[in-house]
């Protein structure tokens, strides 16, 4: 039988209200002797607080929603980056005594209902367009963090990478290895500023090296393995001069490698490839993928810390958190002989 507050009160010979105050951290009206006595009895009896009761008493569920944009494939964790990001957020929340509620959101209009249904204390948004986030926040009234976003909505705190520097590092690495005909693969027509910023880094590196941007080498590829395969096959058929390609995501890069190999080309002897994200899969393939690495744990910790700070100080103003990236050199890039 579950231990109740009444059981503790009877053994401690104090009122039920006193036990409730002590258990819930309201210690102002209790002596230290009483506090120590109640907590010791609760621990010995194995008392487990009711999350539902605590939520009602404090008007806090201690639940943080992780809202993931559902593109319609029915599996919001199909993308390995999203799965890894959620996996990094959960322990960061747990360390603060909060729980994670994962919610796929095909229609942003569903977000307020999720907040009401679960009495969420706040939320982290993954994979949403800036324009989608813009009208959403004012209806929620809770701390909100947008990941990989450049939204100017003041209701959202942003956690993102230095995407432009990432694109620059990737392209400069290829240039430093003697490559000049460098293709770009990323979702250029997407609204997401993440892709545009990585493209700007690509252009900046080429400009510094005196290499003009060749629009015939720019591939509008969605963030998917299949899109990468199409780019790889196109490079073989239509762009034989290309010796290297920078992809804005590891999934695209790995698809490009597969597409190239399926056409009889070798990576990196014929075409070098650089990705972005440094997912675990980058080290499982052969050759191992050179990629721009981001620290998912640091990113998750930054998002959670912003939420915790805002929960404690609702009026606190917070600047965007921009995390640095670093190129990880592996086997998918070949240095060209001069």
């Amino acid at each position: 039988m579950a231990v109740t507050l009444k059981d503790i009160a009877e053994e401690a010979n104090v009122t039920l209200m006193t036990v409730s105050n002590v258990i819930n951290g309201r210690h102002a009206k209790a002596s230290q002797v009483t506090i120590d006595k109640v907590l010791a009895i609760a621990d010995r009896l194995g008392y487990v607080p009711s999350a539902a009761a605590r939520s009602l008493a404090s008007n806090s569920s201690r639940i943080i929603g992780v809202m993931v944009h559902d593109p319609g494939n029915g599996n919001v964790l199909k993308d390995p980056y999203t799965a890894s990001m959620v996996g990094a957020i959960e322990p960061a929340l747990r360390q603060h005594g909060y729980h994670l509620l994962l919610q796929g959101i095909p229609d942003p209009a569903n977000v307020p209902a999720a907040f009401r249904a679960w009495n969420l204390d706040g939320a982290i948004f993954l994979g949403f367009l800036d324009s989608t986030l813009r009208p959403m926040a004012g209806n929620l009234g809770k701390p909100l963090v947008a990941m990989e976003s450049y939204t100017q909505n003041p209701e959202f705190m942003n956690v993102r990478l230095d995407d432009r520097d990432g694109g620059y590092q990737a392209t400069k690495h290829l240039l430093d290895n003697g490559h000049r005909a460098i293709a770009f693969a990323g979702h250029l027509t997407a609204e997401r500023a993440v892709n545009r910023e990585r493209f700007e880094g690509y252009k900046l590196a080429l400009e510094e090296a005196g290499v003009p941007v060749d629009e015939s080498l720019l591939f509008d590829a969605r963030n998917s393995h299949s899109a990468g395969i199409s780019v790889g096959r196109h490079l073989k058929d239509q762009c034989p001069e290309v010796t290297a390609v920078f992809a804005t995501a590891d999934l695209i890069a790995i698809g490009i490698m597969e597409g190239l190999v399926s056409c009889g080309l070798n990576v990196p002897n014929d075409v070098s490839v650089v990705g972005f994200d440094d997912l675990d899969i980058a080290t499982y393939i052969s050759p191992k993928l050179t990629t721009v690495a981001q620290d998912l744990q640091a990113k998750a910790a930054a998002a959670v810390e912003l939420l915790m700070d805002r929960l404690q100080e609702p009026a606190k103003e917070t600047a965007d958190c921009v995390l640095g990236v670093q190129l990880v050199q592996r086997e998918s890039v070949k240095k060209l002989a001069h």
Side-chain angles (χ1 to χ4, degrees):
M1 183 180 296
V3 177
T4 66
L5 295 181
K6 183 178 180 182
D7 297 329
I8 300 172
E10 290 178 350
E11 182 159 340
N13 195 27
V14 297
T15 67
L16 185 62
M17 181 59 71
T18 297
V19 173
S20 177
N21 287 336
V22 170
I23 293 296
N24 289 289
R26 299 188 293 269
H27 296 170
K29 295 184 179 181
S31 68
Q32 191 59 51
V33 172
T34 298
I35 293 169
D36 292 342
K37 182 179 181 181
V38 168
L39 292 178
I41 292 172
D43 183 61
R44 178 167 53 80
L45 295 179
Y47 173 71
V48 178
S50 164
R54 179 173 288 181
S55 175
L56 289 172
S58 64
N59 195 31
S60 169
S61 63
R62 300 194 74 81
I63 298 175
I64 299 297
V66 175
M67 306 296 181
V68 180
H69 174 62
D70 181 1
N73 60 23
N75 182 358
V76 295
L77 296 181
K78 183 177 182 180
D79 182 276
Y81 168 77
T82 301
S84 298
M85 195 72 251
V86 172
I89 291 170
E90 191 280 327
L93 286 172
R94 189 167 7 114
Q95 288 178 1
H96 288 275
Y98 281 77
H99 308 283
L100 179 151
L101 171 75
L102 178 64
Q103 184 80 47
I105 304 292
D107 183 352
N110 297 334
V111 171
F115 266 75
R116 292 191 299 270
W118 294 96
N119 189 28
L120 299 180
D121 287 348
I124 298 172
F125 289 76
L126 296 175
F128 285 82
L129 298 176
D130 295 350
S131 61
T132 303
L133 296 173
R134 198 171 299 126
M136 188 187 302
N139 301 323
L140 303 177
K142 298 291 182 71
L144 308 172
V145 172
M147 307 289 278
E148 301 96 33
S149 173
Y150 287 76
T151 180
Q152 297 301 307
N153 190 324
E155 298 294 326
F156 279 94
M157 299 172 283
N158 292 321
V159 175
R160 62 172 181 267
L161 304 175
D162 190 341
D163 294 294
R164 183 172 300 202
D165 183 54
Y168 175 84
Q169 287 189 44
T171 310
K172 188 175 187 304
H173 177 65
L174 292 170
L175 290 163
D176 290 346
N177 278 276
H179 298 275
R180 291 298 180 268
I182 303 171
F184 174 92
H187 201 357
L188 286 169
T189 58
E191 180 191 319
R192 287 171 64 82
V194 166
N195 301 303
R196 295 197 302 273
E197 286 296 304
R198 294 176 187 180
F199 178 55
E200 289 299 321
Y202 163 85
K203 291 197 298 182
L204 177 60
L206 292 180
E207 179 183 340
E208 286 186 358
V211 178
V213 175
D214 185 343
E215 292 192 1
S216 69
L217 303 185
L218 307 180
F219 295 91
D220 188 13
R222 292 181 179 274
N223 187 12
S224 70
H225 178 253
S226 60
I229 292 175
S230 296
V231 171
R233 290 173 176 166
H234 187 88
L235 287 172
K236 168 63 169 66
D237 296 335
Q238 305 296 328
C239 307
E241 73 277 17
V242 167
T243 63
V245 57
F246 162 53
T248 57
D250 286 349
L251 273 183
I252 302 173
I254 292 169
I256 289 171
M257 293 168 68
E258 182 174 332
L260 291 167
V261 170
S262 71
C263 295
L265 295 180
N266 178 272
V267 178
N269 290 333
D270 296 316
V271 181
S272 294
V273 180
V274 177
F276 200 117
D277 287 330
D278 195 24
L279 300 175
D280 288 343
I281 193 173
T283 62
Y284 299 159
I285 60 172
S286 180
K288 298 183 190 306
L289 179 65
T290 294
T291 184
V292 178
Q294 58 171 307
D295 188 336
L296 292 183
Q297 279 67 39
K299 201 172 181 181
V304 171
E305 289 300 327
L306 287 177
L307 282 175
M308 297 301 110
D309 288 348
R310 186 63 63 84
L311 284 168
Q312 294 176 10
E313 298 181 56
K316 183 176 181 178
E317 293 188 5
T318 307
D320 290 353
C321 178
V322 181
L323 302 176
V325 294
Q326 184 175 7
L327 185 83
V328 177
Q329 300 181 35
R330 296 197 180 100
E331 303 163 357
S332 64
V333 173
K334 176 185 177 181
K335 187 176 183 64
L336 296 184
H338 292 293

